[in-house]
Amino acid sequence: MRVCALFGGPRPGGNTDLLLQSALAGARDAGAGVEIITLYRLSIAPCQDCGACARRGECVYRDDMAQVYQSLDRADALVLASPIYFSSVSAQAKAAIDRCQAYWAAANANPPVEQKRPGLFIATAGRPDTRGDLFQPALAVVKAFFLSLNARLVGQVFAADTDRSPVAARPELLHTAREAGRRLVQVPENP
Ligand SMILES: Cc1cc2nc3c(=O)[nH]c(=O)nc-3n(C[C@H](O)[C@H](O)[C@H](O)COP(=O)(O)O)c2cc1C
């Protein structure tokens, strides 16, 4: 099983990265191969709604998104990890997500027949989740993203309050992420 993991944070070793690394360690424990795409190192232009993908089924804009498409295409399971920025995913993550409009256009023309791939969403936020809805806007974005990639959300790992309580000091969260990564690659193919 091959996992494509999109790292949407800009800080290696930061809260989001630590959770992602734990999740991927869990996936590797369960025998999966892992490919990490570090989005902040790539040059990915925002979608310009040129309409080409609606006609051709693929994006015609040439930049580093090519390697993201390649990794997504061969993945059996997906992970998106992002810090929460202004209630949503990071700009790095959102640029890549919007460029996946090409998949949405292709799926619209030819609905996929193969089984949906499992997907895991990891997010961290600086503020405490006092109302229980801190991650909901980003979750809606990621559900739509996964749907366009013929994936389904099977797990989520959310860490709030990282400003006061960094993930590095929360071994229970790192354990939760590791288990989520393990489960991601063990979910039944055809639920
Ligand atoms: C531009 C920006 C916007 C942010 N917006 C939010 C927000 O809306 N809600 C929140 O709880 N934290 C917000 N934060 C805090 C980050 O989500 C938090 O520090 C996160 O854990 C950072 O992840 P990292 O350590 O992987 O970089 C924001 C941080 C930045 C830099």
Side-chain angles (χ1 to χ4, degrees):
M1 189 146 189
R2 196 192 298 253
V3 178
C4 169
L6 303 182
F7 173 48
R11 295 197 321 125
N15 295 290
T16 315
D17 191 23
L18 289 181
L19 285 179
L20 176 61
Q21 294 303 335
S22 290
L24 296 181
R28 287 192 193 97
D29 286 348
V34 166
E35 186 170 17
I36 306 176
I37 305 283
T38 303
L39 292 170
Y40 77 84
R41 291 211 194 106
L42 304 183
S43 176
I44 297 175
C47 175
Q48 302 287 357
D49 193 10
C50 68
C53 67
R55 294 189 298 276
R56 299 187 191 192
E58 62 178 1
C59 185
V60 295
Y61 197 88
R62 297 288 167 246
D63 63 6
D64 290 344
M65 192 62 196
Q67 72 184 80
V68 183
Y69 290 138
Q70 214 174 52
S71 182
L72 289 171
D73 285 345
R74 54 183 177 225
D76 305 300
L78 309 176
V79 182
L80 176 73
S82 176
I84 296 296
Y85 282 178
F86 285 87
S87 299
S88 187
V89 294
S90 68
Q92 291 89 339
K94 191 58 164 57
I97 288 172
D98 286 357
R99 291 286 295 282
C100 287
Q101 174 68 4
Y103 291 109
W104 190 90
N108 221 23
N110 297 300
V113 287
E114 72 267 32
Q115 306 302 335
K116 285 197 182 342
R117 302 177 280 183
L120 170 66
F121 178 37
I122 295 170
T124 71
R127 294 165 62 86
D129 190 8
T130 44
R131 290 197 306 262
D133 59 359
L134 186 57
F135 296 94
Q136 294 311 309
L139 185 60
V141 170
V142 172
K143 279 184 177 169
F145 171 53
F146 280 171
L147 210 58
S148 70
L149 292 173
N150 194 36
R152 66 187 192 286
L153 186 79
V154 299
Q156 56 198 45
V157 179
F158 296 152
D161 206 13
T162 59
D163 287 351
R164 283 188 311 184
S165 183
V167 163
R170 293 158 78 179
E172 75 292 350
L173 259 178
L174 293 167
H175 177 74
T176 299
R178 195 171 185 125
E179 287 306 304
R182 189 194 304 271
R183 276 198 308 276
L184 174 75
V185 298
Q186 290 175 332
V187 292
E189 285 273 312
N190 190 5

